[in-house]
């Protein structure tokens, strides 16, 4: 059986380190290694899930922006006058897309 040991140090001048130490000390001595292993794996899984959600949100944003680029002038928002340019329409569509994305989560 191969075993590798690592030291764990806490900087007690830092609030996060103090909280982590208190949490670890609340775990019974014989269960601390398993507790740390579970915490590390849970953290890794959480990071993977956050990455997945970020990629999904990015894909949705791309789809929305692509769809808005194809929307004819006047189809979104209030009626537009003929004096408005395609650039103004695009700018307004992008504002709608940004507002949508800000409220996504």
């Amino acid at each position: 059986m191969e075993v590798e040991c690592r030291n764990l140090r806490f900087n007690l001048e830092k609030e996060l380190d103090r909280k982590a130490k208190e949490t670890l000390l609340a775990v019974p001595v014989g269960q601390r290694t398993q507790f740390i292993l579970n915490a590390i794996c849970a953290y890794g899984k959480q990071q993977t899930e956050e990455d997945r959600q970020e990629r999904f949100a990015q894909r949705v944003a791309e789809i929305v922006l692509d769809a808005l680029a194809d929307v004819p002038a006047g189809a979104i928002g209030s009626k537009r006058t003929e004096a408005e340019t395609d650039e103004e329409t695009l700018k307004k569509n992008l504002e709608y897309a940004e507002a949508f994305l800000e409220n996504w989560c």
Side-chain angles (χ1 to χ4, degrees), residues 56-69:
F56 176 74
Q58 184 62 37
R59 182 67 183 130
V60 169
E62 291 170 2
I63 291 169
V64 170
L65 290 174
D66 287 345
L68 288 174

Side-chain angles (χ1 to χ4, degrees), residues 5-92:
C5 295
R6 297 288 175 186
N7 291 327
L8 181 61
R9 297 180 186 175
F10 299 97
N11 180 347
L12 300 180
E13 294 179 6
K14 295 181 179 180
E15 179 68 20
L16 181 63
D17 286 30
R18 285 194 304 272
K19 287 181 180 179
K21 179 187 171 201
E22 290 169 8
T23 301
L24 185 58
L25 291 177
V27 176
V29 175
Q31 298 173 15
R32 289 182 183 165
T33 298
Q34 190 62 47
F35 177 83
I36 292 170
L37 294 173
N38 289 339
I40 292 169
C41 290
Y43 178 80
K45 189 174 183 178
Q46 175 188 0
Q47 295 302 306
T48 301
E49 178 63 19
E50 288 174 2
D51 290 342
R52 189 190 67 75
Q53 289 175 356
E54 179 62 32
R55 286 190 308 271
F56 176 74
Q58 184 62 37
R59 182 67 183 130
V60 169
E62 291 170 2
I63 291 169
V64 170
L65 290 174
D66 287 345
L68 288 174
D70 296 334
V71 173
I76 297 177
S78 61
K79 296 195 180 222
R80 304 186 189 286
T81 65
E82 290 184 28
E84 289 181 308
T85 64
D86 288 336
E87 185 176 321
E88 290 171 339
T89 301
L90 179 59
K91 182 179 177 184
K92 192 66 173 171

